Amino acid sequence: MKRIIAGIALASAAVPAAASEAVDLRFECGAAAATAGGEEPNLHGTWDFLMDVGETPNFGLLSIGFVGADYGGSLSLSMTAPVVFRNITLTGNNVQMTVASPQGDVLLNGTLSAKGNRICGLVTYHDGSIYPMVAQKRPSTYQSQPRSQRVPAR
């Protein structure tokens, strides 16, 4: 672990000054399609998350799980405190997530890729600011029960 941290510190120290300039990030998922066999995609898992905030990348982890038959989750970003989603819905390949904040809701609207492993979309803040985002699902050997077989929360 110490070697990894030392390697990261060394690599970041070696980055030239020009690398700290604004970066043009591209978020491309391709056209979404229905999943094979008509089974609803499963959002359960850990996702690497990237949001372009005014040409500044904001990285983090998106965790989605089940609460009964519904989705629940949280997002931890490098530039903000962790947040818990008030609502996560999946309709076809359209994903909507809502974070409640004291200033108003923050909405994440995206499209799930045909493979069900990438979400591309927009984050809309309570003040109307809109930023592109992408989430990539991490591979996992864990297979959660399909949503249709889950018991609703009480």
Side-chain angles (χ1 to χ4, degrees):
M1 185 65 160
K2 289 181 182 179
R3 286 183 182 166
I4 293 171
I5 294 170
I8 292 170
L10 182 60
S12 62
V15 175
S20 64
E21 295 176 9
V23 177
D24 181 22
L25 301 174
R26 298 188 186 266
F27 301 92
E28 298 175 10
C29 279
T35 41
E39 185 177 317
E40 181 181 72
N42 189 341
L43 299 178
H44 180 268
T46 302
W47 302 70
D48 291 303
F49 187 91
L50 173 62
M51 183 169 68
D52 182 1
V53 183
E55 298 180 359
T56 302
N58 191 2
F59 300 94
L61 283 178
L62 169 63
S63 297
I64 300 176
F66 284 107
V67 180
D70 297 323
Y71 286 113
S74 64
L75 177 61
S76 298
L77 292 169
S78 62
M79 295 171 59
T80 61
V83 294
V84 175
F85 291 106
R86 181 168 53 91
N87 188 20
I88 300 175
T89 59
L90 176 64
T91 307
N93 283 356
N94 296 315
V95 180
Q96 293 185 321
M97 297 179 256
T98 307
V99 174
S101 79
Q103 297 82 15
D105 286 350
V106 177
L107 306 173
L108 288 82
N109 293 299
T111 302
L112 188 65
S113 68
K115 290 183 179 179
N117 64 346
R118 182 172 288 177
I119 302 169
C120 286
L122 300 172
V123 177
T124 305
Y125 278 84
H126 45 77
D127 65 0
S129 301
I130 299 174
Y131 303 107
M133 59 73 100
V134 64
Q136 178 68 42
K137 193 173 190 179
R138 290 184 176 186
S140 174
T141 57
Y142 177 76
Q143 295 294 317
S144 64
Q145 195 174 25
R147 186 174 181 193
S148 60
Q149 296 176 10
R150 300 196 62 84
V151 177
R154 294 181 188 211

